[in-house]
Amino acid sequence: MRRWIASLVVLLSAGLAQLCDQPFSPLREGWVWEYRLLDAKGQSAGNVTARKVLYGNSFVTQLRGSDANGGEIRNDTRYVCTPEGIRTAGEGLGGDGVTVRSIKVSGIEIPEADAWQVGASWQQKVEIEGEGRFGVLPVSGRMTLETTFRIAAQEAVAVPAGRFNAFRVESLNSLRFQTSIPLPLGSPTFRATYWYALDVGVVKTVFGNGNDLRVSELLRLPRR
């Protein structure tokens, strides 16, 4: 009986790991993705590494690095793996001094393999409720982040790690706030563009615009 249970656990673990190991978001033990960061003028803005650590039906992407001024870049983001694809767990969006009561996530961020074709689109919505302070005023409310993704093209893209045939994914992100007191937060929107290569993942990212433009490029293939 114990051997049967152990075998079942192994099979279930393998199935969960397979859900998290998507063709355009691979998860392989020991892989490290290394990126260089560039500013709007193409000058160095730092560097960062990314590792993915599997936890059952989810994984955590660990970002570590430094910006152009030597400041530390450190962020852990958890994702949940489903048959439809990978979605963010919504953690880490509250910020300092904010207590998060609930997080609700619907949709996906990275679709399953069959959905990758030019013209395809999908959405993800993250709703967070909590409370914090705005200056000296206590505030409670809800923040909603809605993102629409669209595969605009399949094209060649060159980065330090090489030249890849990648899907260009464009995203439009919209933030909305509902708070207990009127706040001058507005409803900001921002765009980002990602290039995804098969069995590699993200090889290039462009986000922001104008003087706030930032670019990340893969320095070398992540196999270790």
Side-chain angles (χ1 to χ4, degrees), residues 20-37:
C20 291
D21 184 20
Q22 296 284 348
F24 292 95
S25 180
L27 194 160
R28 312 289 165 78
E29 183 178 357
W31 279 27
V32 180
W33 289 258
E34 299 178 60
Y35 296 90
R36 70 175 183 181
L37 308 178

Side-chain angles (χ1 to χ4, degrees), residues 3-5 13 16 27 58-59 62-63 65 83 89 95 102 110 119 121 132 134 137 144 163 165 182 186 195 199 205:
R3 182 175 298 177
W4 181 86
I5 294 175
S13 299
L16 294 173
L27 194 160
S58 68
F59 66 89
Q62 301 174 334
L63 295 181
S102 67
I110 303 172
S121 63
F134 188 78
L137 299 175
T144 302
R163 188 174 179 86
N165 181 28
W195 283 262
D199 294 327
T205 304

Side-chain angles (χ1 to χ4, degrees), residues 6-183:
S7 299
L8 180 60
V9 168
V10 170
L11 289 173
L12 289 174
S13 299
L16 294 173
Q18 187 175 12
L19 285 178
C20 291
D21 184 20
Q22 296 284 348
F24 292 95
S25 180
L27 194 160
R28 312 289 165 78
E29 183 178 357
W31 279 27
V32 180
W33 289 258
E34 299 178 60
Y35 296 90
R36 70 175 183 181
L37 308 178
L38 304 174
D39 62 18
K41 297 180 180 180
Q43 302 298 312
S44 175
N47 59 80
V48 68
T49 63
R51 293 176 174 84
K52 297 180 181 180
V53 182
L54 182 66
Y55 294 96
N57 70 330
S58 68
F59 66 89
V60 172
T61 297
Q62 301 174 334
L63 295 181
R64 303 290 185 268
S66 60
D67 60 26
N69 298 317
E72 183 183 32
I73 298 173
R74 185 182 182 90
N75 179 268
D76 291 350
T77 304
R78 189 166 70 89
Y79 296 88
V80 179
C81 311
T82 75
E84 293 76 32
I86 297 169
R87 66 168 58 101
T88 179
E91 298 174 354
L93 295 179
D96 295 336
V98 175
T99 300
V100 175
R101 291 196 307 269
S102 67
I103 299 174
K104 179 182 178 181
V105 181
S106 58
I108 54 173
E109 184 170 325
I110 303 172
E112 53 87 24
D114 291 342
W116 288 81
Q117 53 185 331
V118 175
S121 63
W122 60 94
Q123 294 181 320
Q124 180 178 257
K125 178 190 287 188
V126 180
E127 298 175 273
I128 297 179
E129 293 186 358
E131 52 266 338
R133 304 190 74 83
F134 188 78
V136 297
L137 299 175
V139 180
S140 63
R142 172 184 294 179
M143 182 192 80
T144 302
L145 172 62
E146 290 188 88
T147 305
T148 299
F149 301 90
R150 183 177 70 91
I151 299 180
Q154 187 173 17
E155 60 191 18
V157 59
V159 295
R163 188 174 179 86
F164 298 91
N165 181 28
F167 283 106
R168 187 177 84 235
V169 178
E170 299 176 350
S171 72
L172 175 63
N173 306 269
S174 176
L175 272 171
R176 297 198 310 274
F177 299 91
Q178 295 175 295
T179 55
S180 56
I181 60 174
L183 295 176

